Structures are given as C-alpha cells and as structure tokens.
C-alpha cells in the first residue's frame, strides 16, 4: 500500500491567523498518526507564515511515524534539517514568497548545488527526495545527484484530470517508470484529492508515498479528520 503522509501546514495557517495555539499543531500531528497516517509532512518557510521552525522542533519528538520536512535549501533550512534529523527531507525549488510550490527543480541548472546538499544529508543518514516534474532528462539528472527519491509534482495531473484522466496520467507513468529503472524511489504530491488519487495510484502502484495537505485538511472540515484520513487511505488501497 502507498503510504499517506499528511501535510499539516494548513493547520498552522489557521492557528497563525488568530495567534495563540488553537488549533494545536502538535496535537493534530499526533492525531493524524493515531488516525492512521503513515507520515507527517511540514514545509516551513523563512517568513513563518504557517509552520514555524519551532513547530518542527516540537513535532519531531512526539511522533512515531515518518517525518518529512519540505523546503528550499537556504542555510537556515539546511541547519534546521541537520538538527532535527527527519526521516526524509524533500528539496523544493520555491522562492520564499511563493504561496505554494508550483514547479519542480531544473536539475541541470542546479546540479552542482543539489549534489552538494544531497551528499550532506546522505552523510547524516537523512533520506533525500527531489521535487521534480515529468521531464525525463531531468529525472535522469536527478538520479545522478544520488538522491534517494523524487517527488513528482502532480499539479499538472490534477489540473488535466477532469479533461481526460488517461492523458493526464500518461507523462507521470512514463516519468515514474524511468525513475524506477534508475533506482529512484517515487513519491508524489500537490493537488491530489479524493477524486484523482486512486487513478494515479492504480497507474503507478510503486509510488512509495503521497504527501497531501490542502485538499485533505479542507475535506476534514466536512468529514472530520479521522474519517478523512480513512477515506484517503481507502483510495490508496486496491488490488494491483
């Protein structure tokens, strides 16, 4: 079964809009775990507009599932990851002022710096994943950085899914197949929801982990967090 990692950034956004500690980000992380999530994802940004660096330090010792920290590798982020030592770090090429991630790495343009940072995290026994699109040459270069995994940016898949799910998934199957042949683990994330998740999982059953935040937390407003996590896990549970 593909693992579900819940991104809890939106919980922190709600908390920060009012100040204080409601909702409690730490409790939500524990609850997601107890409700069946196999991972917790956070994406701290330098301005602290949702998950703060202090949240990352607070969450690490209280969860037992995998901990995935996403972010752009500025010095402060690198130092954070080295101190916290999560299960996985996902390197994302977003500018500090971006609302959300909207593209993968141009690995060729950033190859030397990515090799350096991947080597650093690997030396500390931290699994490293690169956030990428479906360009096949880019994925070949990602493998040459010696990263453990890629995370496929599924924004275009989600956008094109209503227009035709067969065509929407095709480049992702090709990209994931190449990654598998190159020895890369495959994660996926961005705009995945209860409508499009199963089709992606059925077509790429060797995906190791999906990271889902915005849609899952939005659905939880209607279904409750426990039921929502169960619904998303059901979409990942099928006969391959």
């Amino acid at each position: 079964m593909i693992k579900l990692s819940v991104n809890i950034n939106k919980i922190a956004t709600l908390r920060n809009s009012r100040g204080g500690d409601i909702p409690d980000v730490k409790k939500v992380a524990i609850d997601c775990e107890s409700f069946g999530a196999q991972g917790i994802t956070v994406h701290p940004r330098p301005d602290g507009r949702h998950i703060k660096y202090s949240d990352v330090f607070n969450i690490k010792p209280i969860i037992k599932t995998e901990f995935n920290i996403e972010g752009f590798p500025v010095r402060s982020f690198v130092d954070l990851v080295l101190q916290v030592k999560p299960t996985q770090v996902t390197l994302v090429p977003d500018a500090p002022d971006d609302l959300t991630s909207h593209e993968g790495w141009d690995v060729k343009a950033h190859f030397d710096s990515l090799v350096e940072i991947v080597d650093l995290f690997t030396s500390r026994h931290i699994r490293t994943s690169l956030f990428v699109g479906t360009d096949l040459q880019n994925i070949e270069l990602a493998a040459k950085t010696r990263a453990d995994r890629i995370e496929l940016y599924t924004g275009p898949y989600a956008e094109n899914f209503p227009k035709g799910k067969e065509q929407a998934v095709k480049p992702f199957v090709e990209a994931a197949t190449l990654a598998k042949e190159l020895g890369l683990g495959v994660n996926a994330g961005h705009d995945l929801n209860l409508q499009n998740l199963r089709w992606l999982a059925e077509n790429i059953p060797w995906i190791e982990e999906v990271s889902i935040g915005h849609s899952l937390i939005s659905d939880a407003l209607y279904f409750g967090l426990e039921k929502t996590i169960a619904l998303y896990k059901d979409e990942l549970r099928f006969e391959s």
Side-chain angles (χ1 to χ4, degrees), residues 3 14 27 34-35 73 104 153 174 215 231:
K3 291 182 178 179
L14 182 59
K27 184 177 186 305
S34 68
F35 295 154
Y153 166 55
E174 293 174 352
S215 294
L231 289 170

Side-chain angles (χ1 to χ4, degrees), residues 35-233:
F35 295 154
Q38 294 117 326
I40 300 296
T41 291
V42 293
H43 188 148
R45 287 182 166 87
D47 62 7
R49 65 180 181 269
H50 34 62
I51 287 289
K52 302 178 184 296
Y53 279 26
S54 58
D55 292 323
V56 181
F57 284 107
N58 290 335
I59 291 168
K60 175 60 164 60
I62 63 173
I63 61 171
K64 301 180 179 66
T65 50
E66 291 199 349
F67 193 28
N68 173 44
I69 304 178
E70 300 179 343
F72 183 77
V74 294
R75 185 71 253 176
S76 59
F77 177 83
V78 172
D79 290 342
L80 173 72
V81 172
L82 293 176
Q83 291 179 66
V84 174
K85 293 185 178 179
T87 316
Q88 176 176 269
V89 57
T90 301
L91 300 177
V92 181
D94 56 352
D97 58 347
D98 283 346
L99 283 177
T100 186
S101 305
H102 53 77
E103 64 181 349
W105 284 101
D106 179 343
V107 181
K108 183 177 181 179
H110 300 276
F111 185 79
D112 290 341
S113 60
L114 287 172
V115 168
E116 182 179 355
I117 194 66
V118 167
D119 283 349
L120 174 60
F121 289 144
T122 299
S123 72
R124 304 298 179 88
H125 307 290
I126 301 169
R127 187 172 72 225
T128 306
S129 178
L130 299 183
F131 193 69
V132 297
T134 56
D135 180 81
L136 299 183
Q137 184 180 30
N138 207 44
I139 291 172
E140 290 176 350
L141 288 170
K144 292 179 179 179
T145 69
R146 298 185 290 275
D148 300 290
R149 297 184 183 183
I150 57 168
E151 178 175 333
L152 290 172
Y153 166 55
T154 49
Y157 164 73
E159 180 180 356
N160 292 318
F161 182 83
K163 306 171 190 175
K165 62 183 183 179
E166 290 82 5
Q167 284 301 114
V169 82
K170 183 178 178 180
F172 291 87
V173 173
E174 293 174 352
T177 299
L178 176 61
K180 184 180 180 182
E181 292 171 352
L182 294 171
L184 287 165
V186 179
N187 298 337
H190 205 86
D191 291 341
L192 296 175
N193 56 41
L194 291 173
Q195 286 70 51
N196 60 39
L197 181 58
R198 180 179 290 267
W199 182 248
L200 182 76
E202 287 178 342
N203 281 273
I204 316 175
W206 61 93
I207 290 175
E208 300 194 51
E209 170 191 293
V210 292
S211 175
I212 305 178
H214 182 82
S215 294
L216 189 151
I217 299 303
S218 297
D219 288 333
L221 295 175
Y222 294 92
F223 303 126
L225 186 58
E226 182 173 8
K227 183 176 180 181
T228 299
I229 289 174
L231 289 170
Y232 274 83
K233 288 182 71 176

